[in-house]
Amino acid sequence: MYQWRKFEFFEEKYAGKCLVPDEVAGKIECCSSGRGKIVVGCEDGTVSLLDRGFKFSYGFQAHTSSVLFLQQLKQRNFLLTVGEDEQISPQLSSVCLKVFDLDKTQPEGPSTSIPDCIQILRIFTNQFPEAKITSFLVLEEAPPILLIAIGLDNGCIYCIQGDIARERIKRFMLQVENRQDKTQCAITGMGFRVDGKAFQLFAVTPGSVSLFNLQTQPASRQTLDQIGCNVNSVAMNDRLELIIGRPEAVYFYEVDGRGPCWAFEGEKKFLGWFRGYLLCVIADQRSGTNTFNIFDLKNRLIAHSIVGKEVSHMLCEWGSILLIMSDKSAICIGEKDMESKLDMLFKKNLYTVAINLVQSQQADAAATAEVLRKYGDHLYSKQDFDEAMAQYIHTIGHLEPSYVIQKFLDAQRIYNLTNYLEKLHEKGLASKDHTTLLLNCYTKLKDVDKLNIFIKSEDGVGEHKFDVETAIRVCRAANYHEHAMYVAKKSGRHEWYLKILLEDLGRYEEALQYISSLEPSQAGVTVKEYGKILIEHKPTETIKILMGLCTEEGETSNRGTSNGSYAYMLPSPVDFLNIFIHHPRSLMIFLEKYIKKVKDSPAQVEIHNTLLELYLSSDLNFPLMSLSNIVENGTSKPESSLGIASTSRAESNGKLPPEHKDVNTEKDHQERLQKGLVLLKSAWPSDQEQPLYDVDLAIILCEMNAFKEGLLYLYEKLKLYKEVITCYMRSHDHEGLIACCKKLGDSGKGGDPSLWADLLKYFGELGEECSKEVREVLTYIERDDILPPIMVLQTLSSNPCLTLSVIKDYIARKLEHESKLIEEDRRMIDKYQEETTTMRKEIQDLRTNARIFQLSKCTACTFTLDLPAVHFMCMHSFHQRCLGDNEKECPECAPEYRSVLEMKRSLEQNSKSQDQFFHQVKNSKDGFSVIAEYFGKGIISKNSKGQAGSLNSTSTSTDDF
């Protein structure tokens, strides 16, 4: 003990001037504390309650004689007292147990009141003989249940358990010692140990230490030691261990026996436990003084020591230690705050003591780290860098790492810095900069072994240990490519792995194998990222991988069983167009293989557009136009148009890779044009209205690259016949032009006869000799009567190279034909005039002259005509019975008359339909004849609603002749 350091971690409060109030007049026999009050029992039977600072609250007469023991409960504001009262009869003991409810009072006299005594219990009965009480202990179980242990001088413990206030109790006795010498068997101390549902009771006598298990019936006893202690030298610590004090040492006991002991010499007058400290009052018999020590057993130091008068009672309340002296003076000792204690230790450079102190008192981690930091700074100032770093490592997680790193950035202390950074990564608290710094330390030290351990250990790779990308970047910059690749591969950073393989090491075969081993989705992403490099160096192998990704067969595929349903889940070749930006020929090969393999791709329109541009371009440039269409449709996100265009211009200027040196040869161009024509035809099936490519783009491409065959095919499919012959006109291909018109100008086969008129106009404006062609054209114009002769003459008059002999025969034939038509029209006119004259005479005769009906038979039934009969002006006669209800028109002539009226109404109705009239005029070879026909039928007239001539046959009914 004398080797232990002494510190003043406690201080006296109230300037050491505390006194028990004068209201406490008698000698203090017992004390208790709880619920913010001190309870004092005196030999005169009074009980006094003191507030903070030993201020008197109130007092009352608890017993007639002396108060032997008392206990303030914690859970309820009850006070239990054991004292002597007046003896009612010789058979009853004067010692009794009283229970006071301090929250309830009852008046006593005019101006005072005392707590309500809710129960008085006799301790000794016939079954429990009277003996001297040496110790008293109360355990609060679940309220209102109490367990009271009363130790006697005969080695027995009387126990009372239950609701004391309602006297619902049970009593039982525990026998500790049974000796004749009562000085060796008196119960000097007790302690309850509650562990879960287990209830145990320590019992101490001067000659033994015992443990009772109260769960068993009867309670079992276990002797822990054959030595004991005197009264007041027993306490329990917060770990439920029993503490007893003997002159030679202080002993600790657990349920299985004696534990550690501390050799503190001197007579232990009082023992206590306060916040992890051992409280001990040691009596000095020679000087008559008492020494009060506060021991910190964990740190082996004396936290406080004071020599004073004789101590009569020791309590703990208000967060302080209270010592009541025999002369009724008192000392209140409180613990200093942690900061004050640490400052005291720091001034003495006792950092190890400070560290142990904060750890033993379970201070928060930040406070502990601060102490460790100061200790580290102290060691650093003494240039003990290794020990300083050991302290700084303990601060990881609380101290900012940059504080430590800045101190050890010197090259001579790189080993310490490496150690710190390693620990930082082990705890998962390293940032990207810390990873960079640690890897730089390894590379500067050329410590490959540690680098391997850091990189390749099982727990080394992962987001929780270090930043993967930072590690890869640093290792790559330091030319530790294998380490960088290991981290990238293990962490699944495929892009970094391939970047190192391709850009740093140039191991293209290995990169392709790695891509083949990836999942399809991951492989697709990596090919998009690094496909340009792979296409440049390994085009065939790269195309093979792309085919595996975009189709359902390949080394990298992991496909389903359903063809149709999975096709939309596969990546589209359009997604990979950008990687071919410098290698259009490889793109053409890839797309050709794809369309041969996949017939119903969702992106077939975009693919065909791209292939068409590749086929039709004269120098095999990258397909910019089709790519811009893809961007507009949202199919792909290629590089910027500026970059693509500049690359295309570079290639067109002749700056091509070696694999494209012969790309501009005529033979290759012609082959690609033929492929383009085949694609144009095959991608437009006859049973579909629209092709599997963009028609407008295809026409533009054919126009730009002067691909006549493609244009002719597209115009013909679109039925743009005039554009077809325009292509022939541009090329001055007269034979092809006439052959095209023969094919497309035949109206019987759905052609457009007006093409011959355009063709005649072309030859009329040609300005060169073309008599042969004109004669052939005139043959078809004459055959189909496409143009009148006057327009033919006007059209051909513009060509100075044509003579009249070219159209002489045509004009003669047309004049002869027109003469015949005129003669025929004259004959028809004469015929209609004669018929009109005859009809007018007949009408006039009907209006002016009488008719004689001489028919003797009915026209309907052919029987002899008898009365009543009906005669019509058309000279038909009928029996009235044969006509039925219809006597107004002749049944024989009515159908013909109705058809004429219906025709007239139809013509009048058609005259109101302007669209039909103009449609007939437009589609007729001779529009004038249509107009003349409308005039001739009376449809177009000044008075369209005029009265029609009355053609109804009037009837006459006769009764007799």
Side-chain angles (χ1 to χ4, degrees), residues 543-698:
I543 290 175
K544 183 178 179 182
I545 289 180
L546 287 174
M547 286 297 296
L549 287 173
C550 298
T551 62
E552 295 196 4
E553 295 180 4
E555 295 180 1
T556 61
S557 62
N558 183 13
R559 311 302 185 203
T561 57
S562 175
N563 242 0
S565 63
Y566 197 81
Y568 291 96
M569 299 175 63
L570 297 173
S572 170
V574 177
D575 299 336
F576 303 100
L577 292 182
N578 284 338
I579 70 175
F580 296 95
I581 189 168
H582 301 297
H583 307 280
R585 184 171 294 277
S586 297
L587 174 60
M588 184 175 68
I589 295 171
F590 167 54
L591 294 180
E592 286 175 346
K593 289 185 176 182
Y594 180 80
I595 61 175
K596 289 180 181 178
K597 187 77 174 178
V598 181
K599 301 299 183 183
D600 55 350
S601 171
Q604 56 185 346
V605 174
E606 292 82 2
I607 296 172
H608 290 158
N609 291 342
T610 306
L611 273 176
L612 282 175
E613 189 168 356
L614 290 169
Y615 286 152
L616 302 183
S617 62
S618 59
D619 51 358
L620 194 59
N621 286 331
F622 188 76
L624 300 179
M625 296 181 64
S626 58
L627 196 62
S628 63
N629 287 344
I630 295 172
V631 175
E632 292 175 2
N633 296 332
T635 307
S636 177
K637 295 182 180 179
E639 295 181 5
S640 65
S641 301
L642 182 61
I644 296 175
S646 63
T647 305
S648 177
R649 288 195 294 270
E651 292 181 357
S652 64
N653 290 336
K655 298 179 182 179
L656 300 173
E659 64 176 294
H660 298 290
K661 288 183 179 179
D662 59 345
V663 106
N664 291 323
T665 62
E666 186 63 25
K667 181 179 178 181
D668 178 70
H669 187 208
Q670 292 302 321
E671 290 178 355
R672 286 189 284 108
L673 290 179
Q674 290 303 315
K675 289 183 179 179
L677 184 59
V678 171
L679 180 60
L680 287 174
K681 294 180 179 180
S682 63
W684 197 335
S686 59
D687 58 342
Q688 294 186 7
E689 294 184 1
Q690 294 296 327
L692 300 177
Y693 51 81
D694 189 340
V695 179
D696 296 334
L697 176 64

Side-chain angles (χ1 to χ4, degrees), residues 568-853:
Y568 291 96
M569 299 175 63
L570 297 173
S572 170
V574 177
D575 299 336
F576 303 100
L577 292 182
N578 284 338
I579 70 175
F580 296 95
I581 189 168
H582 301 297
H583 307 280
R585 184 171 294 277
S586 297
L587 174 60
M588 184 175 68
I589 295 171
F590 167 54
L591 294 180
E592 286 175 346
K593 289 185 176 182
Y594 180 80
I595 61 175
K596 289 180 181 178
K597 187 77 174 178
V598 181
K599 301 299 183 183
D600 55 350
S601 171
Q604 56 185 346
V605 174
E606 292 82 2
I607 296 172
H608 290 158
N609 291 342
T610 306
L611 273 176
L612 282 175
E613 189 168 356
L614 290 169
Y615 286 152
L616 302 183
S617 62
S618 59
D619 51 358
L620 194 59
N621 286 331
F622 188 76
L624 300 179
M625 296 181 64
S626 58
L627 196 62
S628 63
N629 287 344
I630 295 172
V631 175
E632 292 175 2
N633 296 332
T635 307
S636 177
K637 295 182 180 179
E639 295 181 5
S640 65
S641 301
L642 182 61
I644 296 175
S646 63
T647 305
S648 177
R649 288 195 294 270
E651 292 181 357
S652 64
N653 290 336
K655 298 179 182 179
L656 300 173
E659 64 176 294
H660 298 290
K661 288 183 179 179
D662 59 345
V663 106
N664 291 323
T665 62
E666 186 63 25
K667 181 179 178 181
D668 178 70
H669 187 208
Q670 292 302 321
E671 290 178 355
R672 286 189 284 108
L673 290 179
Q674 290 303 315
K675 289 183 179 179
L677 184 59
V678 171
L679 180 60
L680 287 174
K681 294 180 179 180
S682 63
W684 197 335
S686 59
D687 58 342
Q688 294 186 7
E689 294 184 1
Q690 294 296 327
L692 300 177
Y693 51 81
D694 189 340
V695 179
D696 296 334
L697 176 64
I699 293 174
I700 293 173
L701 290 174
C702 292
E703 288 277 5
M704 290 176 58
N705 297 281
F707 185 37
K708 178 182 175 182
E709 291 82 354
L711 275 176
L712 292 175
Y713 174 77
L714 292 172
Y715 287 149
E716 184 175 345
K717 288 289 289 185
L718 295 171
K719 296 184 179 182
L720 301 174
Y721 300 139
K722 294 186 182 297
E723 281 74 9
V724 174
I725 64 173
T726 302
C727 291
Y728 285 104
M729 291 176 182
R730 289 178 184 173
S731 60
H732 298 282
D733 184 1
H734 295 170
E735 293 183 3
L737 186 57
I738 294 175
C740 177
C741 285
K742 290 179 180 180
K743 178 181 178 182
L744 304 178
D746 190 353
S747 60
K749 297 180 180 180
D752 184 6
S754 65
L755 295 178
W756 291 108
D758 295 335
L759 184 56
L760 186 66
K761 183 179 179 181
Y762 166 72
F763 286 125
E765 297 174 352
L766 187 60
E768 61 182 41
E769 175 61 31
C770 54
S771 301
K772 179 181 177 182
E773 291 83 356
V774 171
R775 288 190 182 96
E776 187 173 1
V777 171
L778 288 175
T779 301
Y780 290 97
I781 291 176
E782 183 182 1
R783 185 191 71 181
D784 296 334
D785 196 14
I786 298 172
L787 290 175
I790 187 64
M791 293 187 66
V792 173
L793 289 173
Q794 290 175 354
T795 300
L796 295 178
S797 63
S798 302
N799 191 341
C801 298
L802 295 177
T803 62
L804 188 60
S805 60
V806 176
I807 60 172
K808 178 181 179 181
D809 295 338
Y810 167 75
I811 294 297
R813 290 192 299 273
K814 292 299 289 185
L815 290 175
E816 183 181 358
H817 178 68
E818 292 292 335
S819 297
K820 291 180 179 179
L821 291 177
I822 292 171
E823 186 64 26
E824 181 68 23
D825 289 341
R826 284 176 178 174
R827 287 197 299 268
M828 295 301 296
I829 290 171
D830 293 341
K831 178 182 176 183
Y832 290 150
Q833 284 179 348
E834 290 177 0
E835 292 178 353
T836 302
T837 302
T838 301
M839 293 175 67
R840 285 177 178 172
K841 287 180 179 180
E842 185 178 355
I843 293 171
Q844 183 64 26
D845 185 44
L846 290 172
R847 289 178 176 176
T848 59
N849 298 326
R851 286 274 187 171
I852 300 173
F853 302 97

Side-chain angles (χ1 to χ4, degrees), residues 477-493:
N479 294 326
Y480 285 89
H481 297 114
E482 295 299 329
H483 294 81
M485 289 168 57
Y486 178 87
V487 175
K489 185 175 183 179
K490 192 168 184 180
S491 60
R493 305 299 174 91

Side-chain angles (χ1 to χ4, degrees), residues 859 872 874 876-878 883 886-895 898 953:
T859 305
F872 291 94
C874 59
H876 292 136
S877 299
F878 299 88
L883 290 176
N886 189 8
E887 298 179 358
K888 294 183 179 182
E889 59 183 9
C890 175
E892 293 291 329
C893 301
R898 288 196 193 97
S953 299

Side-chain angles (χ1 to χ4, degrees), residues 29-79:
E29 291 289 341
C30 54
C31 294
S32 180
S33 62
R35 304 179 70 89
K37 292 184 179 296
I38 299 295
V39 185
V40 179
C42 300
E43 63 178 358
D44 57 1
T46 59
V47 173
S48 302
L49 282 78
L50 309 181
D51 288 332
R52 185 182 294 272
F54 287 91
K55 295 181 180 179
F56 183 79
S57 177
Y58 65 91
F60 62 92
Q61 189 74 35
H63 294 271
T64 306
S65 183
S66 175
V67 179
L68 302 178
F69 299 94
L70 53 80
Q71 178 74 48
Q72 170 72 53
L73 300 186
K74 309 292 184 182
Q75 299 182 18
R76 292 180 295 171
N77 197 14
F78 283 6
L79 176 66

